[in-house]
Amino acid sequence: MGYHLPKTNFCHQWWQNWSGGSVNEIEKSKVRELAGEIERLINERQYKALKQMTAGTVDLYWSIGGMICDRQEKEGWGKSVVEGLAEELQRKFPGAQGYSARNLWRMRNFYVTYRENEKLPPLVAEISWSCNVVVMEKCKDDLEREFYLKMAARY
């Protein structure tokens, strides 16, 4: 005596009964409402992840700038050494952007510009690297930098 499956699709019938019917029977406004909540959650998390990535990049560049500055002070590194470092980093991270000699000098200058001011380093972590470069290169003093860093973080 064997078990025989019913001629109708059992799983489909079970799902229809369990779920209360097809999606067409569910109130569309409730589906849209839930979709809107999920959309807001996704947007919030993506924004949070972007802010963390931005802060991480700025922190990485701060550290690289500090390492270059330290080597310059201890070993007298100059332009040719930083250019060689850029080539080596580009070889180690093919396709990655941000490790040109020009950007390594910016990292070093970034570190030198902000290392002695306790108020500014927390502000630089709130904005992108490109905004930091503009503020660092265009502003003449720490007071002006503080103003523009706060404004950039707001918007």
Side-chain angles (χ1 to χ4, degrees):
M1 192 170 164
Y3 178 74
H4 297 287
L5 291 173
K7 294 190 184 224
T8 59
N9 185 336
F10 173 76
C11 290
H12 179 71
Q13 283 184 336
W14 174 83
W15 177 255
Q16 291 290 339
N17 291 335
W18 180 82
S19 67
S22 69
V23 175
N24 294 332
E25 296 170 14
I26 298 172
E27 293 179 41
K28 289 184 180 183
S29 65
K30 289 185 179 183
V31 171
R32 284 190 198 106
E33 180 182 325
L34 180 58
E37 291 174 24
I38 292 170
E39 178 186 28
R40 282 188 293 282
L41 180 63
I42 290 169
N43 287 334
E44 286 172 11
R45 298 296 166 86
Q46 285 177 335
Y47 180 71
K48 184 178 178 181
L50 180 63
K51 284 186 73 168
Q52 289 173 337
M53 188 176 83
T54 296
T57 299
V58 170
D59 183 57
L60 171 65
Y61 289 0
W62 172 273
S63 297
I64 292 170
M67 294 169 79
I68 292 169
C69 185
D70 185 52
R71 290 292 177 100
Q72 283 183 317
E73 291 170 358
K74 288 181 180 174
E75 299 177 28
W77 277 19
K79 186 176 181 177
S80 63
V81 176
V82 173
E83 287 174 2
L85 177 62
E87 289 173 12
E88 189 64 27
L89 289 173
Q90 289 168 352
R91 199 172 7 266
K92 289 182 180 287
F93 300 99
Q97 296 180 0
Y99 303 114
S100 66
R102 181 177 182 187
N103 212 36
L104 292 177
W105 281 112
R106 284 178 169 157
M107 292 175 205
R108 180 239 176 240
N109 292 340
F110 178 67
Y111 176 80
V112 169
T113 299
Y114 294 114
R115 69 178 169 183
E116 308 240 343
N117 187 321
E118 294 177 12
K119 289 169 65 175
L120 298 182
L123 296 174
V124 300
E126 295 182 31
I127 62 174
S128 70
W129 174 246
S130 58
C131 287
N132 271 301
V133 169
V134 170
V135 170
M136 178 181 65
E137 292 178 352
K138 300 290 183 188
C139 295
K140 296 173 186 76
D141 57 44
D142 284 350
L143 188 59
E144 189 177 10
R145 285 185 192 97
E146 181 179 0
F147 173 80
Y148 283 107
L149 288 169
K150 286 180 178 178
M151 289 297 108
R154 268 186 159 168
Y155 300 101

